[in-house]
Amino acid sequence: MQPVKKAILKGFLDMLPLCLAVVPWGILCGSLAIQNGFSAFETQAMSLLVFAGSAQLVAIELMAGNTPLLTILFTTFIISSRHFLYGLAVRHKVIDQPMRWRLPVSFVLTDELFAFSHHRKAYRTKTRLIYALSAGFSFYIAWNIWTSIGIVAGTMLPDLTNLGLDFAIAATFIALVIPGIKNLASLVTVIVAGVSATLLKSTGFELWLVCSALLAMAAGYSTSRLTAKKEATL
């Protein structure tokens, strides 16, 4: 098999488990939007253009609740800002590549593809770039297919939120986050994020997600600095 075809196939197969893992998530996103007054076109366009599951779900719920526009924009900005960090993390690997490669990679650099980006040779060669694009766009296509199914389900079936499909969101992120806990700073970040999000949401605070993310990042950064200082004095 030619290297290009092999890279395309491998990218697709490696991403396939994650494509299947977000089936409930995508269906929930599509159906939730329909049941909250979005048109089928608006719902599908959101997945085609925004392509950010967690931001889409949060935005749908906030818009359905008549949340002020500034709160919606700020919340979705904070949620999606992690993609900026993903870009910075892989920048040194793609900086020498032409723009025609960097732009599509940046578009499909989701949590799932970033989980594939830690290999030291990732994005370094044409074959590895093709692998990344195959993995990224296969997830993009799958996400839009699941959204389409959710749109149909939202118009034909009762409220799907009662089926607990939203647990797929938590399950997917747990699967992505747990392998990344390799030091004290990351462990503290995860714990603070979980505890603060639970406590703040239980109070009905609108910006619970934003505040818990900021608290977790601050705690992780502080722990990292303290750990570095301690190691320097040894």
Short mmCIF file of all heavy atoms in Angstrom, two decimals, residues 22-90:
data_model
loop_
_atom_site.label_atom_id
_atom_site.label_comp_id
_atom_site.label_asym_id
_atom_site.label_seq_id
_atom_site.Cartn_x
_atom_site.Cartn_y
_atom_site.Cartn_z
N VAL A 22 -18.54 9.61 20.44
CA VAL A 22 -19.33 10.84 20.51
C VAL A 22 -20.68 10.74 19.79
O VAL A 22 -21.33 11.76 19.57
CB VAL A 22 -18.54 12.05 19.94
CG1 VAL A 22 -17.30 12.32 20.78
CG2 VAL A 22 -18.17 11.84 18.48
N VAL A 23 -21.08 9.52 19.44
CA VAL A 23 -22.40 9.35 18.83
C VAL A 23 -23.51 9.94 19.72
O VAL A 23 -24.31 10.77 19.25
CB VAL A 23 -22.69 7.86 18.53
CG1 VAL A 23 -24.15 7.68 18.11
CG2 VAL A 23 -21.78 7.35 17.42
N PRO A 24 -23.58 9.57 21.01
CA PRO A 24 -24.64 10.14 21.85
C PRO A 24 -24.51 11.66 21.98
O PRO A 24 -25.51 12.38 22.02
CB PRO A 24 -24.42 9.45 23.21
CG PRO A 24 -23.62 8.25 22.91
CD PRO A 24 -22.74 8.62 21.76
N TRP A 25 -23.26 12.13 22.04
CA TRP A 25 -22.99 13.56 22.19
C TRP A 25 -23.51 14.33 20.97
O TRP A 25 -24.19 15.35 21.10
CB TRP A 25 -21.50 13.74 22.36
CG TRP A 25 -21.05 15.09 22.78
CD1 TRP A 25 -21.79 16.24 22.86
CD2 TRP A 25 -19.73 15.47 23.19
NE1 TRP A 25 -21.03 17.29 23.27
CE2 TRP A 25 -19.76 16.84 23.49
CE3 TRP A 25 -18.54 14.77 23.32
CZ2 TRP A 25 -18.63 17.53 23.91
CZ3 TRP A 25 -17.42 15.46 23.75
CH2 TRP A 25 -17.47 16.81 24.04
N GLY A 26 -23.18 13.85 19.77
CA GLY A 26 -23.62 14.52 18.56
C GLY A 26 -25.13 14.50 18.39
O GLY A 26 -25.75 15.49 17.99
N ILE A 27 -25.73 13.33 18.69
CA ILE A 27 -27.19 13.22 18.60
C ILE A 27 -27.86 14.16 19.59
O ILE A 27 -28.86 14.82 19.27
CB ILE A 27 -27.63 11.76 18.84
CG1 ILE A 27 -27.14 10.87 17.68
CG2 ILE A 27 -29.14 11.66 18.99
CD1 ILE A 27 -27.44 9.39 17.88
N LEU A 28 -27.30 14.24 20.79
CA LEU A 28 -27.85 15.14 21.80
C LEU A 28 -27.75 16.59 21.35
O LEU A 28 -28.69 17.36 21.53
CB LEU A 28 -27.10 14.95 23.12
CG LEU A 28 -27.50 15.88 24.26
CD1 LEU A 28 -28.95 15.64 24.66
CD2 LEU A 28 -26.58 15.70 25.46
N CYS A 29 -26.61 16.94 20.75
CA CYS A 29 -26.42 18.32 20.29
C CYS A 29 -27.46 18.69 19.24
O CYS A 29 -28.08 19.76 19.31
CB CYS A 29 -25.01 18.47 19.72
SG CYS A 29 -24.58 20.16 19.27
N GLY A 30 -27.68 17.81 18.27
CA GLY A 30 -28.65 18.09 17.23
C GLY A 30 -30.08 18.15 17.75
O GLY A 30 -30.84 19.07 17.43
N SER A 31 -30.45 17.18 18.56
CA SER A 31 -31.82 17.13 19.07
C SER A 31 -32.10 18.26 20.06
O SER A 31 -33.20 18.83 20.07
CB SER A 31 -32.08 15.77 19.74
OG SER A 31 -31.23 15.58 20.86
N LEU A 32 -31.10 18.58 20.89
CA LEU A 32 -31.28 19.65 21.87
C LEU A 32 -31.53 20.99 21.19
O LEU A 32 -32.38 21.77 21.63
CB LEU A 32 -30.04 19.74 22.76
CG LEU A 32 -30.11 20.73 23.94
CD1 LEU A 32 -31.19 20.30 24.93
CD2 LEU A 32 -28.76 20.83 24.64
N ALA A 33 -30.80 21.24 20.11
CA ALA A 33 -31.00 22.49 19.37
C ALA A 33 -32.39 22.56 18.76
O ALA A 33 -33.08 23.60 18.86
CB ALA A 33 -29.94 22.62 18.29
N ILE A 34 -32.83 21.47 18.14
CA ILE A 34 -34.17 21.44 17.52
C ILE A 34 -35.25 21.67 18.58
O ILE A 34 -36.19 22.45 18.37
CB ILE A 34 -34.39 20.09 16.81
CG1 ILE A 34 -33.46 19.96 15.59
CG2 ILE A 34 -35.86 19.95 16.39
CD1 ILE A 34 -33.71 20.99 14.51
N GLN A 35 -35.11 21.00 19.72
CA GLN A 35 -36.13 21.10 20.76
C GLN A 35 -36.11 22.44 21.48
O GLN A 35 -37.03 22.74 22.24
CB GLN A 35 -35.95 19.95 21.75
CG GLN A 35 -36.30 18.60 21.13
CD GLN A 35 -35.82 17.41 21.96
OE1 GLN A 35 -35.15 17.58 22.97
NE2 GLN A 35 -36.15 16.22 21.51
N ASN A 36 -35.07 23.23 21.22
CA ASN A 36 -35.01 24.57 21.81
C ASN A 36 -35.26 25.67 20.79
O ASN A 36 -34.91 26.83 21.02
CB ASN A 36 -33.65 24.79 22.49
CG ASN A 36 -33.58 24.17 23.87
OD1 ASN A 36 -34.17 24.68 24.83
ND2 ASN A 36 -32.85 23.05 23.98
N GLY A 37 -35.84 25.28 19.65
CA GLY A 37 -36.30 26.28 18.70
C GLY A 37 -35.38 26.59 17.54
O GLY A 37 -35.70 27.44 16.71
N PHE A 38 -34.22 25.92 17.45
CA PHE A 38 -33.33 26.13 16.32
C PHE A 38 -33.91 25.41 15.09
O PHE A 38 -34.53 24.35 15.22
CB PHE A 38 -31.94 25.56 16.60
CG PHE A 38 -31.12 26.37 17.58
CD1 PHE A 38 -31.43 26.38 18.93
CD2 PHE A 38 -30.04 27.11 17.15
CE1 PHE A 38 -30.69 27.10 19.84
CE2 PHE A 38 -29.28 27.85 18.04
CZ PHE A 38 -29.61 27.85 19.39
N SER A 39 -33.67 25.96 13.92
CA SER A 39 -34.09 25.28 12.69
C SER A 39 -33.06 24.20 12.36
O SER A 39 -31.95 24.20 12.89
CB SER A 39 -34.19 26.26 11.54
OG SER A 39 -32.90 26.74 11.17
N ALA A 40 -33.45 23.29 11.47
CA ALA A 40 -32.52 22.24 11.07
C ALA A 40 -31.28 22.84 10.40
O ALA A 40 -30.15 22.38 10.61
CB ALA A 40 -33.21 21.27 10.12
N PHE A 41 -31.50 23.88 9.59
CA PHE A 41 -30.38 24.54 8.92
C PHE A 41 -29.42 25.17 9.93
O PHE A 41 -28.20 25.02 9.83
CB PHE A 41 -30.89 25.61 7.95
CG PHE A 41 -29.80 26.43 7.32
CD1 PHE A 41 -29.06 25.92 6.26
CD2 PHE A 41 -29.50 27.70 7.80
CE1 PHE A 41 -28.03 26.68 5.68
CE2 PHE A 41 -28.49 28.46 7.22
CZ PHE A 41 -27.75 27.94 6.17
N GLU A 42 -29.97 25.88 10.90
CA GLU A 42 -29.14 26.54 11.92
C GLU A 42 -28.35 25.52 12.73
O GLU A 42 -27.17 25.73 13.04
CB GLU A 42 -30.02 27.37 12.85
CG GLU A 42 -30.63 28.60 12.19
CD GLU A 42 -31.71 29.24 13.03
OE1 GLU A 42 -32.26 28.55 13.93
OE2 GLU A 42 -32.02 30.43 12.80
N THR A 43 -29.00 24.42 13.06
CA THR A 43 -28.34 23.39 13.86
C THR A 43 -27.19 22.75 13.11
O THR A 43 -26.09 22.59 13.64
CB THR A 43 -29.36 22.31 14.27
OG1 THR A 43 -30.45 22.91 14.95
CG2 THR A 43 -28.71 21.26 15.16
N GLN A 44 -27.45 22.38 11.85
CA GLN A 44 -26.39 21.75 11.06
C GLN A 44 -25.27 22.73 10.76
O GLN A 44 -24.08 22.37 10.78
CB GLN A 44 -26.96 21.21 9.75
CG GLN A 44 -26.01 20.26 9.01
CD GLN A 44 -25.77 18.98 9.78
OE1 GLN A 44 -26.71 18.22 10.05
NE2 GLN A 44 -24.53 18.71 10.15
N ALA A 45 -25.62 23.99 10.50
CA ALA A 45 -24.61 25.01 10.22
C ALA A 45 -23.69 25.22 11.42
O ALA A 45 -22.49 25.47 11.26
CB ALA A 45 -25.28 26.32 9.83
N MET A 46 -24.24 25.10 12.61
CA MET A 46 -23.42 25.26 13.80
C MET A 46 -22.35 24.18 13.87
O MET A 46 -21.19 24.45 14.18
CB MET A 46 -24.30 25.22 15.06
CG MET A 46 -23.52 25.44 16.35
SD MET A 46 -24.54 25.41 17.84
CE MET A 46 -25.26 27.06 17.76
N SER A 47 -22.72 22.94 13.56
CA SER A 47 -21.73 21.85 13.57
C SER A 47 -20.74 21.98 12.42
O SER A 47 -19.57 21.63 12.56
CB SER A 47 -22.44 20.50 13.50
OG SER A 47 -23.01 20.16 14.74
N LEU A 48 -21.20 22.48 11.29
CA LEU A 48 -20.32 22.64 10.13
C LEU A 48 -19.30 23.76 10.34
O LEU A 48 -18.14 23.64 9.94
CB LEU A 48 -21.14 22.92 8.87
CG LEU A 48 -21.90 21.73 8.27
CD1 LEU A 48 -22.89 22.22 7.22
CD2 LEU A 48 -20.92 20.73 7.66
N LEU A 49 -19.73 24.85 10.95
CA LEU A 49 -18.88 26.04 11.06
C LEU A 49 -18.19 26.18 12.41
O LEU A 49 -17.01 26.54 12.48
CB LEU A 49 -19.72 27.30 10.78
CG LEU A 49 -20.39 27.36 9.41
CD1 LEU A 49 -21.26 28.60 9.29
CD2 LEU A 49 -19.35 27.34 8.30
N VAL A 50 -18.91 25.90 13.48
CA VAL A 50 -18.33 26.03 14.81
C VAL A 50 -17.49 24.81 15.16
O VAL A 50 -16.34 24.94 15.60
CB VAL A 50 -19.43 26.24 15.87
CG1 VAL A 50 -18.83 26.36 17.27
CG2 VAL A 50 -20.25 27.48 15.54
N PHE A 51 -18.06 23.63 14.95
CA PHE A 51 -17.34 22.37 15.16
C PHE A 51 -16.66 22.33 16.53
O PHE A 51 -15.45 22.17 16.64
CB PHE A 51 -16.32 22.16 14.03
CG PHE A 51 -15.60 20.83 14.09
CD1 PHE A 51 -16.26 19.67 14.44
CD2 PHE A 51 -14.26 20.75 13.77
CE1 PHE A 51 -15.59 18.45 14.48
CE2 PHE A 51 -13.58 19.55 13.81
CZ PHE A 51 -14.24 18.40 14.16
N ALA A 52 -17.45 22.52 17.57
CA ALA A 52 -16.93 22.50 18.94
C ALA A 52 -18.04 22.01 19.85
O ALA A 52 -18.87 22.80 20.29
CB ALA A 52 -16.44 23.88 19.36
N GLY A 53 -18.06 20.71 20.10
CA GLY A 53 -19.17 20.09 20.80
C GLY A 53 -19.55 20.75 22.11
O GLY A 53 -20.71 21.10 22.33
N SER A 54 -18.60 20.92 23.02
CA SER A 54 -18.93 21.49 24.32
C SER A 54 -19.41 22.92 24.20
O SER A 54 -20.38 23.31 24.85
CB SER A 54 -17.70 21.42 25.24
OG SER A 54 -16.57 22.04 24.62
N ALA A 55 -18.76 23.71 23.35
CA ALA A 55 -19.19 25.11 23.15
C ALA A 55 -20.58 25.16 22.52
O ALA A 55 -21.40 26.02 22.88
CB ALA A 55 -18.19 25.85 22.27
N GLN A 56 -20.86 24.26 21.58
CA GLN A 56 -22.18 24.23 20.96
C GLN A 56 -23.27 23.92 21.98
O GLN A 56 -24.30 24.60 22.02
CB GLN A 56 -22.21 23.18 19.84
CG GLN A 56 -21.43 23.57 18.61
CD GLN A 56 -21.46 22.49 17.53
OE1 GLN A 56 -20.42 22.12 16.99
NE2 GLN A 56 -22.64 21.99 17.22
N LEU A 57 -23.05 22.90 22.79
CA LEU A 57 -24.06 22.51 23.76
C LEU A 57 -24.31 23.61 24.79
O LEU A 57 -25.46 23.92 25.12
CB LEU A 57 -23.62 21.22 24.47
CG LEU A 57 -23.78 19.94 23.65
CD1 LEU A 57 -23.03 18.79 24.32
CD2 LEU A 57 -25.25 19.58 23.47
N VAL A 58 -23.24 24.21 25.26
CA VAL A 58 -23.39 25.29 26.24
C VAL A 58 -24.10 26.48 25.61
O VAL A 58 -25.00 27.08 26.21
CB VAL A 58 -22.01 25.71 26.79
CG1 VAL A 58 -22.13 26.99 27.62
CG2 VAL A 58 -21.42 24.59 27.63
N ALA A 59 -23.71 26.84 24.38
CA ALA A 59 -24.34 27.97 23.70
C ALA A 59 -25.83 27.72 23.47
O ALA A 59 -26.65 28.63 23.65
CB ALA A 59 -23.64 28.23 22.36
N ILE A 60 -26.18 26.50 23.08
CA ILE A 60 -27.59 26.16 22.86
C ILE A 60 -28.40 26.34 24.14
O ILE A 60 -29.48 26.95 24.14
CB ILE A 60 -27.72 24.72 22.33
CG1 ILE A 60 -27.19 24.63 20.90
CG2 ILE A 60 -29.18 24.25 22.38
CD1 ILE A 60 -27.02 23.21 20.40
N GLU A 61 -27.87 25.83 25.24
CA GLU A 61 -28.59 25.93 26.51
C GLU A 61 -28.70 27.37 26.98
O GLU A 61 -29.73 27.79 27.51
CB GLU A 61 -27.90 25.07 27.57
CG GLU A 61 -28.01 23.57 27.29
CD GLU A 61 -27.46 22.74 28.43
OE1 GLU A 61 -26.87 23.33 29.35
OE2 GLU A 61 -27.62 21.51 28.39
N LEU A 62 -27.62 28.14 26.80
CA LEU A 62 -27.64 29.54 27.22
C LEU A 62 -28.61 30.36 26.37
O LEU A 62 -29.37 31.19 26.89
CB LEU A 62 -26.24 30.14 27.14
CG LEU A 62 -25.21 29.62 28.14
CD1 LEU A 62 -23.84 30.24 27.88
CD2 LEU A 62 -25.64 29.89 29.58
N MET A 63 -28.60 30.12 25.07
CA MET A 63 -29.50 30.86 24.18
C MET A 63 -30.95 30.49 24.45
O MET A 63 -31.84 31.34 24.41
CB MET A 63 -29.13 30.56 22.72
CG MET A 63 -27.77 31.13 22.32
SD MET A 63 -27.18 30.53 20.71
CE MET A 63 -28.28 31.42 19.61
N ALA A 64 -31.19 29.20 24.74
CA ALA A 64 -32.55 28.77 25.04
C ALA A 64 -33.06 29.39 26.34
O ALA A 64 -34.26 29.60 26.51
CB ALA A 64 -32.61 27.25 25.13
N GLY A 65 -32.13 29.69 27.24
CA GLY A 65 -32.50 30.29 28.51
C GLY A 65 -32.51 31.80 28.50
O GLY A 65 -32.56 32.43 29.56
N ASN A 66 -32.43 32.39 27.29
CA ASN A 66 -32.44 33.86 27.13
C ASN A 66 -31.33 34.54 27.93
O ASN A 66 -31.51 35.61 28.50
CB ASN A 66 -33.80 34.43 27.55
CG ASN A 66 -34.93 33.99 26.63
OD1 ASN A 66 -34.77 33.96 25.41
ND2 ASN A 66 -36.05 33.62 27.22
N THR A 67 -30.17 33.88 27.96
CA THR A 67 -29.02 34.45 28.64
C THR A 67 -28.50 35.65 27.86
O THR A 67 -28.52 35.64 26.63
CB THR A 67 -27.89 33.39 28.74
OG1 THR A 67 -28.42 32.22 29.40
CG2 THR A 67 -26.70 33.91 29.51
N PRO A 68 -28.05 36.69 28.53
CA PRO A 68 -27.52 37.87 27.83
C PRO A 68 -26.40 37.49 26.86
O PRO A 68 -25.60 36.59 27.13
CB PRO A 68 -26.99 38.74 28.97
CG PRO A 68 -27.82 38.35 30.15
CD PRO A 68 -28.08 36.89 29.99
N LEU A 69 -26.37 38.19 25.72
CA LEU A 69 -25.41 37.89 24.66
C LEU A 69 -23.97 37.94 25.17
O LEU A 69 -23.15 37.09 24.81
CB LEU A 69 -25.58 38.86 23.49
CG LEU A 69 -24.60 38.70 22.32
CD1 LEU A 69 -24.73 37.32 21.70
CD2 LEU A 69 -24.84 39.79 21.27
N LEU A 70 -23.65 38.91 26.00
CA LEU A 70 -22.29 39.05 26.50
C LEU A 70 -21.88 37.83 27.30
O LEU A 70 -20.74 37.35 27.18
CB LEU A 70 -22.18 40.31 27.37
CG LEU A 70 -20.76 40.66 27.86
CD1 LEU A 70 -19.82 40.88 26.67
CD2 LEU A 70 -20.79 41.89 28.75
N THR A 71 -22.79 37.28 28.09
CA THR A 71 -22.49 36.08 28.87
C THR A 71 -22.25 34.89 27.96
O THR A 71 -21.34 34.08 28.19
CB THR A 71 -23.65 35.77 29.84
OG1 THR A 71 -23.84 36.88 30.71
CG2 THR A 71 -23.35 34.53 30.66
N ILE A 72 -23.08 34.77 26.91
CA ILE A 72 -22.92 33.67 25.95
C ILE A 72 -21.56 33.76 25.26
O ILE A 72 -20.83 32.76 25.17
CB ILE A 72 -24.05 33.69 24.90
CG1 ILE A 72 -25.40 33.45 25.56
CG2 ILE A 72 -23.80 32.64 23.82
CD1 ILE A 72 -26.58 33.62 24.61
N LEU A 73 -21.22 34.95 24.78
CA LEU A 73 -19.95 35.12 24.07
C LEU A 73 -18.76 34.86 24.99
O LEU A 73 -17.79 34.18 24.59
CB LEU A 73 -19.87 36.54 23.50
CG LEU A 73 -20.85 36.89 22.38
CD1 LEU A 73 -20.72 38.35 21.99
CD2 LEU A 73 -20.62 36.00 21.17
N PHE A 74 -18.82 35.38 26.19
CA PHE A 74 -17.70 35.20 27.12
C PHE A 74 -17.54 33.74 27.53
O PHE A 74 -16.43 33.22 27.58
CB PHE A 74 -17.92 36.07 28.37
CG PHE A 74 -16.78 36.03 29.34
CD1 PHE A 74 -15.51 36.48 28.98
CD2 PHE A 74 -16.96 35.53 30.63
CE1 PHE A 74 -14.46 36.44 29.87
CE2 PHE A 74 -15.91 35.49 31.52
CZ PHE A 74 -14.65 35.95 31.14
N THR A 75 -18.65 33.07 27.79
CA THR A 75 -18.61 31.67 28.20
C THR A 75 -18.04 30.79 27.09
O THR A 75 -17.15 29.96 27.33
CB THR A 75 -20.01 31.17 28.60
OG1 THR A 75 -20.53 31.98 29.65
CG2 THR A 75 -19.95 29.72 29.06
N THR A 76 -18.56 30.94 25.88
CA THR A 76 -18.08 30.12 24.77
C THR A 76 -16.63 30.46 24.41
O THR A 76 -15.87 29.59 23.99
CB THR A 76 -18.96 30.29 23.53
OG1 THR A 76 -19.11 31.69 23.20
CG2 THR A 76 -20.34 29.70 23.77
N PHE A 77 -16.24 31.72 24.62
CA PHE A 77 -14.85 32.10 24.38
C PHE A 77 -13.92 31.38 25.35
O PHE A 77 -12.88 30.83 24.94
CB PHE A 77 -14.68 33.61 24.52
CG PHE A 77 -13.24 34.07 24.49
CD1 PHE A 77 -12.55 34.14 23.29
CD2 PHE A 77 -12.57 34.39 25.67
CE1 PHE A 77 -11.22 34.54 23.26
CE2 PHE A 77 -11.24 34.78 25.64
CZ PHE A 77 -10.57 34.86 24.44
N ILE A 78 -14.29 31.35 26.61
CA ILE A 78 -13.47 30.68 27.61
C ILE A 78 -13.39 29.18 27.33
O ILE A 78 -12.32 28.57 27.40
CB ILE A 78 -14.01 30.93 29.03
CG1 ILE A 78 -13.86 32.41 29.40
CG2 ILE A 78 -13.28 30.06 30.04
CD1 ILE A 78 -12.44 32.90 29.48
N ILE A 79 -14.54 28.59 26.99
CA ILE A 79 -14.57 27.15 26.71
C ILE A 79 -13.67 26.82 25.52
O ILE A 79 -12.93 25.83 25.53
CB ILE A 79 -16.01 26.68 26.43
CG1 ILE A 79 -16.86 26.82 27.69
CG2 ILE A 79 -16.02 25.23 25.94
CD1 ILE A 79 -18.33 26.56 27.45
N SER A 80 -13.74 27.65 24.49
CA SER A 80 -12.99 27.38 23.26
C SER A 80 -11.55 27.85 23.32
O SER A 80 -10.75 27.52 22.42
CB SER A 80 -13.69 28.05 22.06
OG SER A 80 -15.00 27.54 21.90
N SER A 81 -11.18 28.61 24.34
CA SER A 81 -9.82 29.15 24.41
C SER A 81 -8.77 28.07 24.54
O SER A 81 -7.60 28.31 24.24
CB SER A 81 -9.71 30.13 25.58
OG SER A 81 -9.94 29.48 26.81
N ARG A 82 -9.17 26.87 24.97
CA ARG A 82 -8.20 25.79 25.07
C ARG A 82 -7.62 25.43 23.71
O ARG A 82 -6.49 24.93 23.62
CB ARG A 82 -8.83 24.56 25.72
CG ARG A 82 -9.87 23.85 24.86
CD ARG A 82 -10.57 22.75 25.65
NE ARG A 82 -11.44 21.94 24.83
CZ ARG A 82 -12.67 22.28 24.49
NH1 ARG A 82 -13.17 23.44 24.89
NH2 ARG A 82 -13.42 21.47 23.75
N HIS A 83 -8.38 25.70 22.64
CA HIS A 83 -7.88 25.41 21.30
C HIS A 83 -6.71 26.33 20.94
O HIS A 83 -5.83 25.94 20.16
CB HIS A 83 -9.01 25.54 20.28
CG HIS A 83 -10.09 24.52 20.47
ND1 HIS A 83 -9.95 23.21 20.08
CD2 HIS A 83 -11.32 24.61 21.04
CE1 HIS A 83 -11.05 22.54 20.38
NE2 HIS A 83 -11.89 23.37 20.97
N PHE A 84 -6.71 27.52 21.50
CA PHE A 84 -5.57 28.41 21.32
C PHE A 84 -4.33 27.80 21.96
O PHE A 84 -3.24 27.84 21.38
CB PHE A 84 -5.88 29.77 21.96
CG PHE A 84 -4.73 30.73 21.95
CD1 PHE A 84 -4.28 31.30 20.76
CD2 PHE A 84 -4.09 31.07 23.13
CE1 PHE A 84 -3.21 32.18 20.75
CE2 PHE A 84 -3.02 31.95 23.13
CZ PHE A 84 -2.58 32.51 21.94
N LEU A 85 -4.51 27.19 23.12
CA LEU A 85 -3.39 26.53 23.80
C LEU A 85 -2.94 25.30 23.01
O LEU A 85 -1.74 25.01 22.94
CB LEU A 85 -3.80 26.12 25.21
CG LEU A 85 -4.24 27.26 26.14
CD1 LEU A 85 -4.65 26.72 27.51
CD2 LEU A 85 -3.10 28.28 26.30
N TYR A 86 -3.90 24.59 22.41
CA TYR A 86 -3.53 23.45 21.57
C TYR A 86 -2.65 23.92 20.41
O TYR A 86 -1.64 23.27 20.07
CB TYR A 86 -4.78 22.77 21.00
CG TYR A 86 -5.67 22.09 22.01
CD1 TYR A 86 -6.96 21.70 21.66
CD2 TYR A 86 -5.24 21.83 23.30
CE1 TYR A 86 -7.79 21.07 22.57
CE2 TYR A 86 -6.06 21.21 24.21
CZ TYR A 86 -7.34 20.83 23.84
OH TYR A 86 -8.15 20.21 24.74
N GLY A 87 -3.05 25.04 19.81
CA GLY A 87 -2.28 25.58 18.69
C GLY A 87 -0.86 25.94 19.10
O GLY A 87 0.10 25.67 18.38
N LEU A 88 -0.74 26.56 20.26
CA LEU A 88 0.60 26.92 20.76
C LEU A 88 1.43 25.67 21.03
O LEU A 88 2.65 25.66 20.80
CB LEU A 88 0.48 27.75 22.04
CG LEU A 88 -0.05 29.18 21.89
CD1 LEU A 88 -0.18 29.83 23.26
CD2 LEU A 88 0.87 30.00 20.99
N ALA A 89 0.77 24.63 21.52
CA ALA A 89 1.49 23.40 21.87
C ALA A 89 2.07 22.69 20.65
O ALA A 89 3.12 22.06 20.75
CB ALA A 89 0.57 22.46 22.64
N VAL A 90 1.39 22.79 19.51
CA VAL A 90 1.87 22.09 18.31
C VAL A 90 2.52 23.04 17.31
O VAL A 90 2.97 22.62 16.25
CB VAL A 90 0.73 21.31 17.62
CG1 VAL A 90 0.09 20.32 18.57
CG2 VAL A 90 -0.31 22.26 17.04
#
